[in-house]
Amino acid sequence: MTEPINTQYLETLLGYNARRATLHIVGHFVHRMAEFELKPATFSALCLIGRNPGITSRQLCQTLNILPPNMVGFLKEFEHRGWITRAPSPFDGRATSLSLTAQGKKFIQRAEKAAQAADQHAAQALSPTEFKTLTRLLKKIHHTAAIASA
Amino acid sequence: MTEPINTQYLETLLGYNARRATLHIVGHFVHRMAEFELKPATFSALCLIGRNPGITSRQLCQTLNILPPNMVGFLKEFEHRGWITRAPSPFDGRATSLSLTAQGKKFIQRAEKAAQAADQHAAQALSPTEFKTLTRLLKKIHHTAAIASA
DNA sequence: TATTGTTATACTCTATAACTATA
DNA sequence: TATAGTTATAGAGTATAACAATA
């Protein structure tokens, strides 16, 4: 060990801090959600189906910024595990209407509790007020993208 | 188009917002830094070498949480482009001591300006105070990891 | 002609195993 | 015996091209 490494400049950058913090938070998430075999993308997709019964694959993709070919495997897995059902959309014969099964509802309910616990654990250095502030400012950032692409 | 998608629950989660915001910020970064052919990891590595002359590959890896095999290609590229020099470490015959060349210093100086501009552009929805608050809270989060692993 | 869901595939990023030379 | 740097390679995550069915 020689001298400590100077990281001061990098830590003035929003991008650097955002990337490092997200790696930390997602790391906790993946660790805690391992028992559910859910990762950020699959967890988010299941949550959205639960709160938006009848949502189509394309709507899921647009909302989560996932490309359609990469969603196919997720939905196949969800169906295979008995968490979702696919029905022809009543509005569009090309689309499929996604909903949670009773089993899927129970499962995601438990997973959502674990996700919140993972959040809290990853952000244990923050006060409740700081947690809320951080969440609000992050939301503000990624909502810029949604407005810009509308 | 049927009804709008409800994302309210997901947006209460720190992990979801952090991931989406970081994808937004890093997206801007990569776009703006394309002319320099630098991505987050290579940019950070060059910044650290610039501010820590004589740093070793291993120290770079530990500081940036990059695995040694994945650093090899970066350093090879930096050397090939004439941005860094490698010298045997005076402290340890196994290690190599990294420094920027005059050309590398000029290059990273321009790149750092562009990185700051990318940051500002990605966070244009935030006031200067909010920008500082967000940076501070993100730093607090990923510093937890550093302390926990010490 | 455009869009949904899909297959196949390529590319990038990250991770593991094993080697060499030095400590 | 342990560590620094390296090679080769495997695994995720993400991206593009092209197709059948429907609009």
Side-chain angles (χ1 to χ4, degrees):
Chain A
M1 181 83 184
T2 56
E3 291 165 42
I5 303 305
N6 180 356
T7 57
Q8 271 188 292
Y9 169 73
L10 282 179
E11 295 192 349
T12 66
L13 294 174
L14 179 61
Y16 174 79
N17 291 296
R19 191 158 161 272
R20 294 302 298 265
T22 298
L23 286 172
H24 173 69
I25 296 167
V26 170
H28 269 283
F29 181 91
V30 171
H31 180 70
R32 292 254 178 158
M33 302 302 276
E35 61 166 305
F36 300 96
E37 295 181 69
L38 288 176
K39 278 170 225 163
T42 46
F43 172 79
S44 302
L46 266 186
C47 282
L48 280 186
I49 298 171
R51 282 180 174 70
N52 299 273
I55 192 172
T56 67
S57 170
R58 186 57 56 136
Q59 286 176 308
L60 265 184
C61 286
Q62 282 164 349
T63 307
L64 295 175
N65 206 31
I66 292 173
L67 292 168
N70 301 328
M71 183 62 75
V72 174
F74 297 164
L75 298 180
K76 213 174 265 181
E77 187 196 329
F78 295 163
E79 195 175 31
H80 180 256
R81 295 204 194 178
W83 296 335
I84 66 162
T85 54
R86 305 201 220 196
S89 166
F91 310 108
D92 187 331
R94 295 165 301 184
T96 48
S97 177
L98 307 168
S99 306
L100 292 187
T101 60
Q103 196 187 337
K105 278 177 197 166
K106 270 193 202 165
F107 176 79
I108 197 65
Q109 207 173 344
R110 286 198 303 127
E112 284 178 4
K113 272 183 196 157
Q116 270 158 338
D119 253 24
Q120 294 297 330
H121 190 255
Q124 59 188 338
L126 267 52
S127 72
T129 308
E130 286 176 324
F131 186 98
K132 276 180 208 158
T133 302
L134 179 55
T135 305
R136 180 175 61 82
L137 294 178
L138 289 170
K139 205 186 304 184
K140 221 167 173 177
I141 293 260
H142 71 83
H143 279 197
T144 315
I147 293 158
S149 66
Chain B
M1 181 80 182
T2 56
E3 291 164 42
I5 303 305
N6 179 357
T7 57
Q8 271 187 292
Y9 170 73
L10 282 179
E11 295 191 349
T12 65
L13 294 174
L14 179 60
Y16 175 78
N17 290 297
R19 190 158 162 272
R20 294 302 297 266
T22 298
L23 286 171
H24 173 69
I25 295 167
V26 170
H28 269 284
F29 182 91
V30 171
H31 180 70
R32 290 255 179 157
M33 302 301 277
E35 63 166 303
F36 300 96
E37 294 181 69
L38 287 176
K39 278 168 226 169
T42 46
F43 171 77
S44 303
L46 267 185
C47 284
L48 281 186
I49 298 171
R51 283 179 175 70
N52 300 273
I55 192 172
T56 67
S57 170
R58 187 58 54 136
Q59 287 176 307
L60 265 184
C61 286
Q62 282 164 350
T63 308
L64 294 176
N65 205 32
I66 292 172
L67 291 168
N70 301 328
M71 184 63 75
V72 175
F74 297 164
L75 297 180
K76 213 174 265 180
E77 187 196 329
F78 294 164
E79 195 175 31
H80 182 255
R81 294 203 195 179
W83 296 335
I84 67 163
T85 53
R86 303 201 221 196
S89 165
F91 310 108
D92 187 331
R94 297 165 300 183
T96 47
S97 177
L98 307 167
S99 305
L100 291 187
T101 61
Q103 196 186 338
K105 278 177 197 166
K106 270 193 201 165
F107 175 79
I108 196 65
Q109 208 172 343
R110 286 198 302 125
E112 284 178 4
K113 272 183 196 156
Q116 270 157 338
D119 252 24
Q120 294 298 331
H121 190 255
Q124 59 189 338
L126 266 51
S127 73
T129 308
E130 286 176 323
F131 187 98
K132 276 180 207 158
T133 303
L134 179 54
T135 304
R136 180 176 61 81
L137 295 179
L138 289 170
K139 207 187 302 184
K140 222 169 172 177
I141 294 260
H142 71 83
H143 278 198
T144 315
I147 292 160
S149 67

